Structure formats: C-alpha cells, structure tokens
Amino acid sequence: MDRGEGTALVKSLAIGAVGGLVFQLIGMPLAWMLGPLTANLIVSARGVDVRIPEPLREAFLGVLGLVLGSQVTPQLAERVLDWPVSAVLLLLGVAVSTAVAAAWYRRCGFDSVSAWFASAPGAMTAMILMGEQSGGDPRRIAIAQSLRIILVIMILPPLFWAYEGGAAVRAGAAENGFEAAWMLLALPLLIPLGRWLRLPSHTLLAPLLFAGLLSGFGMASFSLPDGGMNVMLWVLGCAIGSRFRGLSSARLGRYLFEAFVATLLALVVLACFAELIHRLVGVPRDVALLALAPGGIGEMAILAVALDLDPVFVAFHHLLRMVALMLFAPFWAGWLRRVG
C-alpha cells in the first residue's frame, strides 16, 4: 500500500466512524453499516479520495463468510426440503422484477442491452462484463448496479424497523468473546483457493463453505463479539460507500433518482413473491423479503447476520439467484445481440 492509498484508507475509516456515531446517536437501525456507508458516499461524491483497499475488503468479507457458514447446524437438513418451493418462486420473481426495472430504465434513455443488464439483481461483475460484450454501456450498468445495492441496504433495515413497530432492530447473535478464532488463520489459504476453484464470490463463499462444514458436523463454530461485529460492518460499509469517487454530484443525483425508482419497482415485485413464500413455506416475511431482495450476496449476507434474519436461508437463495443469472445471462445476451 502506497502513501496515497494509506491516506485514503484513514480518511474513509475516520469519516465512516463519524457517520456510525451519528447514526447510533439518532437511533438509526444498523448504525455501524449505514452510517459509514452514507458518510463515505457523500464525501466521495464531492471529490474526496476515500477508499478501502481490495485486500482489506476481501479479508473482512472472508470473516463474514466464517460467521455466515457457522450458522449451519445439523438440524438444517430438516428445513432444506422446503427450499425448492421458495427457490422456484425466487427465480420467477427475479425474471419479473428484472423485466419491470428494465422497462423503467428504457424510459430513462438506456439502450435495451444496458437496461436489462443494469436491472439483473445480482452477479454484478459478470453482468457488467456481459453487458459490455453485448454492446451495452458498462459505466451506466456499473453505476446502476452499485446504486441498487446501496439503496437496498439503506431501505430494508428501516423498513424492518417500521414493520416491527419501531422496536430495536435485532443484532446478530452476540457473544462475549471470539469462538473458534483459530479459523481466521485459514483465510489466507481459503480466499486464494476459492479464486483458483473459480467459485462465484469466492472471497465470501470459500470461507462460508469451510465454516459450514465444520459447524454442520459440530466440530467448530466461529462467532464475533459485539465489538467485532461492529468493526466488520464499519469497514464493509466504508468499502461500499466509497465506490463513487470522481462522479459529479449532479450526475450522481440523476443516477440516484433513476436507480431509486428501479429499486422500488423491483422491491415491490419481489415483496409479492416473498409473501407467497411466507404463505406457502412458512418463512417469516422479513426473512423471505431479505432472501429475495435485489442486492449482492455479500451485502445481503451482512444484513442477514447483522439483523439475525436466518442467514443460511438468505445466503442460499442469493447464491442460487447469482448462479442462475450467470448461467442464463449469456443466452439472453446472445438474443439481445441478434434482435439489436
């Protein structure tokens, strides 16, 4: 890390800490994620150089993977039999919500390819690359995808807070100290292994599978104390919010409006499918909505762990959606090229 990167990191974390404290003082839900995210988004849009180096972001995503995988229990197999129903509803919901959001982006002036790939809810990097290869605008796709993730993160916690009648948003399972902290030593091996195996979202998924195997067989289970969970949320919130450096405030405002409407449309559609899952499978409404929410797997896993909303169910459905998009998108891209 050179001096410039170090300075940008310190600024990002310091600004994020101020945002976290402010959000905590005013009683906002998930303060140590939303506060740093919002503060970094504001200053980066004003030209301040704030950033979280990729190796540091990957390390904390790896920690999140360990936390998430440790939610797997031997009793989980009893519930997995109900998941095919919710999986089918998830895939139908993704198709409908993508079509609705793409129609909105077409009205905003997007070309057909850019509109569809900007609307696909997940596998962001793959959607940007495939959209560019199909003749779309990679910058507009990337901005729309990034803003959707941020908006979902900022909309859902207050929504759950209101749904629970203003009660405090649940925090993830808190512990007084580290459990199985030795598992952290495996991260420098797991992350490169996941990359070598070409796992989707390998930074998160390789540690998740490792911890899931150990926890599922009752061998070890990783957990974080309250302070450790807040530090993880703080760093990852800063990493998400600092993506927009160099984008003018006026242009960001226009993109935010476009993405806000597209995100609301997708959330409304997916909320209908989440209600079907709630009624047919018996999953709580907030868990079903988070499992279908149009955010990235890493970001939604953070929310699931932080809000204690059945992280394994949520992660499974987001992983399924990401794999389905990556399998189907090349065929859809080919069709768009032919008709375009």
Side-chain angles (χ1 to χ4, degrees), residues 50 173 265 280:
V50 288
L265 290 171
L280 295 175

Side-chain angles (χ1 to χ4, degrees), residues 90-99 102 113 116-117 119-123 126-127 130-131 133-134 319-338:
L90 162 74
L91 297 177
L92 290 173
V94 166
V96 176
S97 66
T98 301
V113 172
W116 278 98
F117 281 94
S119 304
M127 295 304 102
M130 290 182 194
Q133 292 166 2
S134 302
L319 179 60
L320 172 64
R321 184 191 62 194
M322 181 171 60
V323 171
L325 282 172
M326 290 192 296
L327 290 175
F328 178 73
F331 299 101
W332 187 248
W335 184 83
L336 288 174
R337 280 196 295 267
R338 287 194 298 272

Side-chain angles (χ1 to χ4, degrees), residues 44-47 139 143 147 244-252 255:
S44 65
R46 299 185 68 85
R139 180 175 173 83
I143 291 172
L147 285 175
F244 295 93
R245 60 183 181 276
L247 192 64
S248 69
S249 298
R251 181 166 293 184
L252 177 61
Y255 289 159

Side-chain angles (χ1 to χ4, degrees), residues 51-76:
R51 57 190 127 137
I52 300 296
E54 189 62 17
L56 182 61
R57 187 187 76 89
E58 287 190 346
F60 277 90
L61 275 177
V63 175
L64 174 64
L66 294 179
V67 173
L68 191 60
S70 295
Q71 306 295 316
V72 175
T73 63
Q75 293 75 32
L76 184 64

Side-chain angles (χ1 to χ4, degrees), residues 63 66-67 70 177-188 210 214 220-225:
V63 175
L66 294 179
V67 173
S70 295
F178 285 105
E179 294 290 335
W182 60 266
M183 292 168 68
L184 291 170
L185 300 177
L187 288 179
F210 171 73
L214 293 179
S221 183
F222 180 81
S223 63
L224 286 171

Side-chain angles (χ1 to χ4, degrees), residues 118-284:
S119 304
M124 181 173 73
T125 302
M127 295 304 102
I128 296 168
L129 293 175
M130 290 182 194
E132 182 177 17
Q133 292 166 2
S134 302
D137 184 341
R139 180 175 173 83
R140 296 195 82 175
I141 296 172
I143 291 172
Q145 288 274 355
S146 299
L147 285 175
R148 187 196 69 250
I149 291 171
I150 288 176
L151 287 167
V152 169
I153 294 171
M154 298 186 74
I155 290 170
L156 288 186
L159 184 64
F160 293 153
W161 180 78
Y163 173 71
E164 293 177 0
V169 175
R170 297 189 294 277
E175 303 287 342
N176 293 324
F178 285 105
E179 294 290 335
W182 60 266
M183 292 168 68
L184 291 170
L185 300 177
L187 288 179
L189 298 175
L190 291 170
I191 293 174
L193 177 62
R195 184 183 298 114
W196 181 72
L197 292 173
R198 299 183 181 275
L199 294 176
S201 296
H202 66 276
T203 305
L204 177 74
L205 193 54
L208 188 157
L209 293 173
F210 171 73
L213 285 172
L214 293 179
S215 180
F217 285 104
M219 298 169 62
S221 183
F222 180 81
S223 63
L224 286 171
D226 281 342
M229 180 66 73
N230 284 338
V231 169
M232 182 179 72
L233 296 176
W234 169 40
V235 174
L236 292 174
C238 290
I240 297 168
S242 61
R243 292 176 177 174
F244 295 93
R245 60 183 181 276
L247 192 64
S248 69
S249 298
R251 181 166 293 184
L252 177 61
R254 178 164 65 86
Y255 289 159
L256 264 173
F257 170 73
E258 294 174 353
F260 180 71
V261 174
T263 302
L264 279 184
L265 290 171
L267 279 172
V268 169
V269 170
L270 291 167
C272 295
F273 283 89
E275 180 65 19
L276 286 175
I277 291 176
H278 165 67
R279 292 178 180 274
L280 295 175
V281 183
V283 174

